[in-house]
């Protein structure tokens, strides 16, 4: 039961998150994003309880397909996902259960009220066109490949750093992992919104236990530094390869942020040494 609830909440978070990127109405999209953040917090609340009680759980989950064609269908898609979470909860006098049930009731009511919206969703139409941009084939191919690879990487990092937070008691290490989670969320949002505009939005593949679980925090940090350096190189190469000044500036901006991520991970490494 514990593993199934964690998986269902994980799925609910991702469905709300990617629906928030898919809808064209940005006020609705931001509301969905805020709701997804609440469900992500639910996931972390549950994880904290499981870690404390030594209950086994996993970040592995089924593949998630996005196929809704209207914003109303997107709302219903999310409402049904949250309904599956609610079906696994029952009032028990537990404050966490009460919090989850109350949040889900409110969010589901809000989503149900939007289920008749007929505005079209074009996030999956494979248009391969960015508004106001005219990219040559090599630039477009490089951009598409980068977005698929990096959206998975940022999702992976959210999972990895979330799990890593559960393994440390040091306040500064906890702060560092939270900064890295928040930064990865911003990068994922930026890349996914671009995928939405190109009509290629998709939920990244599952992150396996072999990736997010580790025996040595030191080895985990060393591997993390190497991965961040790889991300820097990909951003640098894309900034140089995409023949568009605005896009190149954006990827340079992301690249410079990776420098600070590396500095933070080196600081974390020093603390455990």
């Amino acid at each position: 039961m514990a593993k199934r609830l964690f998986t269902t909440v994980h799925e609910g978070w991702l469905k709300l998150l990617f629906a928030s990127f898919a809808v064209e109405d940005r006020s609705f999209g931001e509301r969905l994003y805020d709701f997804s953040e609440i469900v992500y917090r639910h996931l972390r609340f549950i994880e904290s309880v499981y870690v404390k009680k030594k209950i086994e759980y996993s970040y592995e989950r089924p593949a998630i397909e996005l196929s809704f064609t209207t914003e109303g269908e997107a709302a219903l898609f999310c409402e049904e996902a949250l309904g599956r979470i609610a079906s696994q909860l029952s009032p028990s006098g537990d404050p966490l259960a009460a919090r989850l049930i109350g949040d889900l009731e409110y969010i589901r009511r809000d989503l149900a009220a939007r289920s008749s919206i007929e505005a079209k969703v074009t996030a999956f139409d494979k248009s391969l066109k960015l508004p106001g941009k005219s990219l040559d084939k090599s630039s477009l191919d490089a951009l598409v490949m980068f977005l698929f690879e990096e959206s998975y990487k940022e999702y992976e990092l959210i999972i990895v750093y979330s799990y890593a937070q559960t393994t440390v008691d040091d306040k500064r290490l906890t702060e560092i992992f939270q900064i890295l989670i928040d930064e990865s969320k911003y990068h994922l949002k930026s890349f996914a919104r671009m995928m939405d505009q190109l009509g290629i939005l998709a939920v990244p593949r599952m992150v396996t236990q072999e990736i997010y679980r580790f025996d040595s925090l030191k080895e985990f940090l060393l591997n993390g530094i190497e991965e961040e350096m790889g991300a820097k190189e990909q951003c640098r190469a894309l900034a140089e390869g995409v023949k568009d000044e605005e896009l190149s500036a954006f990827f340079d901006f992301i690249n410079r942020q990776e420098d600070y991520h590396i500095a933070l991970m080196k600081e974390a490494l020093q603390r455990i040494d």
Side-chain angles (χ1 to χ4, degrees):
M1 178 66 176
K3 183 176 181 179
R4 186 163 68 92
L5 176 62
F6 194 82
T7 300
T8 308
V9 176
H10 187 176
E11 289 180 85
W13 163 51
L14 289 175
K15 287 179 177 179
L16 265 70
L17 180 64
F18 278 81
S20 80
F21 304 140
V23 299
E24 295 301 311
D25 181 342
R26 291 321 307 149
S27 64
F28 180 31
E30 287 305 311
R31 191 160 179 81
L32 280 172
Y33 187 83
D34 289 343
F35 288 156
S36 78
E37 284 286 271
I38 291 172
V39 179
Y40 171 77
R41 288 197 292 275
H42 289 181
L43 191 70
R44 302 307 310 281
F45 294 158
I46 294 168
E47 184 174 31
S48 295
V49 172
Y50 288 176
V51 168
K52 184 177 180 180
K53 294 185 176 181
K54 295 183 170 53
I55 296 173
E56 185 72 19
Y57 67 95
S58 171
Y59 271 101
E60 294 185 353
R61 43 81 184 170
I64 297 173
E65 296 295 329
L66 305 173
S67 59
F68 41 83
T69 59
T70 68
E71 293 186 358
E73 289 176 6
L76 186 59
F77 172 77
C78 294
E79 192 279 329
E80 290 175 341
L82 299 187
R84 284 191 285 276
I85 300 172
S87 69
Q88 296 178 40
L89 299 169
S90 59
S92 60
D94 175 67
L96 177 56
R99 163 67 190 268
L100 269 57
I101 290 169
D103 285 356
L104 294 174
E105 284 179 354
Y106 176 80
I107 297 171
R108 291 178 68 196
R109 187 183 306 116
D110 185 282
L111 293 172
R114 300 171 187 267
S115 62
S116 61
I117 299 174
E118 296 181 355
K120 296 296 182 185
V121 170
T122 59
F124 323 117
D125 67 3
K126 298 181 173 62
S127 67
L128 296 179
K129 294 179 181 178
L130 281 176
K133 303 292 181 188
S134 181
L135 300 178
D136 61 33
K137 187 176 186 306
S138 63
S139 295
L140 181 61
D141 289 347
L143 177 61
V144 168
M145 181 177 294
F146 173 88
L147 290 173
F148 274 110
E149 289 179 355
E150 290 302 294
S151 63
Y152 168 77
K153 192 215 79 169
E154 299 298 347
Y155 166 61
E156 175 191 292
L157 290 177
I158 294 168
I159 298 303
V160 167
Y161 295 139
S162 295
Y163 181 79
Q165 266 191 330
T166 70
T167 69
V168 298
D169 295 321
D170 183 292
K171 181 181 177 182
R172 179 54 182 163
L173 288 179
T174 299
E175 290 173 347
I176 287 172
F177 288 136
Q178 188 60 53
I179 292 168
L180 293 170
I181 290 167
D182 292 341
E183 295 274 270
S184 289
K185 283 182 178 180
Y186 169 71
H187 290 181
L188 177 59
K189 183 178 184 179
S190 300
F191 299 152
R193 287 292 295 141
M194 210 171 288
M195 294 173 80
D196 159 50
Q197 293 175 325
L198 289 164
I200 56 172
L201 184 65
V203 178
R205 65 187 181 276
M206 178 186 75
V207 179
T208 63
Q209 293 187 37
E210 291 78 11
I211 292 173
Y212 69 83
R213 288 188 173 173
F214 54 86
D215 295 323
S216 165
L217 182 58
K218 182 175 181 178
E219 184 178 344
F220 162 76
L221 290 168
L222 288 169
N223 290 338
I225 291 169
E226 185 175 340
E227 186 165 355
E228 292 285 0
M229 291 178 70
K232 263 185 60 64
E233 177 58 27
Q234 285 184 303
C235 276
R236 184 201 61 76
L238 186 63
E240 292 179 357
V242 173
K243 299 176 180 64
D244 181 275
E245 185 176 343
E246 184 180 3
L247 289 175
S248 292
F250 172 71
F251 290 116
D252 277 336
F253 159 68
I254 296 293
N255 187 18
R256 289 191 296 271
Q257 290 188 341
E258 301 290 357
D259 288 332
Y260 186 56
H261 298 175
I262 292 168
L264 285 172
M265 297 192 80
K266 286 181 176 178
E267 179 189 339
L269 194 59
Q270 290 175 347
R271 291 188 73 85
I272 65 169
D273 277 343

